[in-house]
């Protein structure tokens, strides 16, 4: 079955003023749609692969034939990464998390300010296009970045939250100021959704 573009869980203007409406329209309606269309195209004639959930396809990337593997990494990764991205944001949120996620962030990264600084650092230092991530790796929280649309799933890691640092994610409003975008981004992080992903990841269901 072909993958489909998920509907945004909020209106395209819901993340204003942090992420402007036009960026959301283009990012979801054109960029994410292109990843979906192109992974479907890459998997034409491969019903066994196309029937897998996108996360499974990426976890088992070594089983994808070499001729289409890079197309699946780029576009299947793009589909999974953006589906996560829309999910972990919302309007009228922000602040700091609470509960087990907050406790484990503090236990791992000292405090919440250090955690945020490390995510920002990962995003700022990613040269070119990519993502900064909080992942669950071998049962532990870890911050890292990936190039292009490379997915943590390909390395056996579960993406708890990630921030898109491709220029298309911020250029209309922030131009070359990626650090400013990364500072502002926290005000649209939906900690409830992130905590849900963390609980699922710990249960082995993400
Ligand atoms: Mn993007």
């Amino acid at each position: 079955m072909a993958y489909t573009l998920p509907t945004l869980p909020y209106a395209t203007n819901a993340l204003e003023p942090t992420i402007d409406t036009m960026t959301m329209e283009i990012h979801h309606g054109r960029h994410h749609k292109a990843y979906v269309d192109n992974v479907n195209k890459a998997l034409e004639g491969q019903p066994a692969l196309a029937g897998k959930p996108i996360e499974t396809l990426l976890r088992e990337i070594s089983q994808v034939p070499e001729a289409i593997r890079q197309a699946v990494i780029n576009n299947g990764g793009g589909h999974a990464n953006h589906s996560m991205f829309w999910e972990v944001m919302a309007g009228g949120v922000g602040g700091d998390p609470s509960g087990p996620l907050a406790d484990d962030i503090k236990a791992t990264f000292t405090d919440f300010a250090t955690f945020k600084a490390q995510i920002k650092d990962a995003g700022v230092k990613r040269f070119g296009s990519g993502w900064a991530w909080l992942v669950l790796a071998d049962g532990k929280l870890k911050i890292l970045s990936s190039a292009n649309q490379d997915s943590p799933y390909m390395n056996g890691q579960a993406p708890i939250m990630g921030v898109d640092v491709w220029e298309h994610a911020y250029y209309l409003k922030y131009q070359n100021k990626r650090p400013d975008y990364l500072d502002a981004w926290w005000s649209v992080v939906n900690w409830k959704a992130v905590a849900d992903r963390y609980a699922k990841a710990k249960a082995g269901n993400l």
Side-chain angles (χ1 to χ4, degrees), residues 171-191:
Y171 207 85
L172 293 181
K173 184 175 165 85
Y174 299 90
Q175 294 84 46
N176 61 322
K177 294 173 285 189
R178 187 188 290 182
D180 290 3
Y181 157 69
L182 286 166
D183 284 336
W185 184 69
W186 296 108
S187 67
V188 293
V189 172
N190 180 356
W191 287 111

Side-chain angles (χ1 to χ4, degrees), residues 29-118:
R30 298 193 213 166
H31 289 277
H32 189 171
K33 183 174 188 301
Y35 296 125
V36 171
D37 291 346
N38 288 328
V39 70
N40 287 335
K41 207 174 292 170
L43 292 174
E44 271 170 16
Q46 305 271 356
L49 294 176
K52 293 180 182 181
I54 194 68
E55 297 83 3
T56 309
L57 186 70
L58 293 165
R59 266 191 217 103
E60 299 172 357
I61 194 69
S62 63
Q63 296 174 26
V64 173
E66 215 175 327
I68 60 166
R69 192 178 301 153
Q70 194 59 49
V72 170
I73 289 171
N74 293 345
N75 297 289
H79 176 36
N81 294 344
H82 288 84
S83 297
M84 174 284 312
F85 191 50
W86 314 132
E87 183 187 327
V88 301
M89 297 190 291
V93 292
D96 291 353
S98 57
L101 172 64
D103 296 342
D104 291 353
I105 284 176
K106 282 179 202 148
T108 309
F109 304 104
T110 313
D111 54 39
F112 198 63
T114 306
F115 162 73
K116 290 211 284 193
Q118 287 185 20

Side-chain angles (χ1 to χ4, degrees), residues 7-28 82-94 131 162-164 168-170 173-174 180-181 183-191 193:
T7 308
L8 279 179
Y10 35 75
T12 50
N13 65 358
L15 307 183
E16 290 270 10
T18 306
I19 301 181
D20 60 284
T21 305
M22 188 179 282
T23 294
M24 286 300 293
E25 285 172 355
I26 296 170
H27 200 175
H28 175 261
H82 288 84
S83 297
M84 174 284 312
F85 191 50
W86 314 132
E87 183 187 327
V88 301
M89 297 190 291
V93 292
W131 292 75
V163 55
D164 190 343
H168 69 224
Y170 62 86
K173 184 175 165 85
Y174 299 90
D180 290 3
Y181 157 69
D183 284 336
W185 184 69
W186 296 108
S187 67
V188 293
V189 172
N190 180 356
W191 287 111

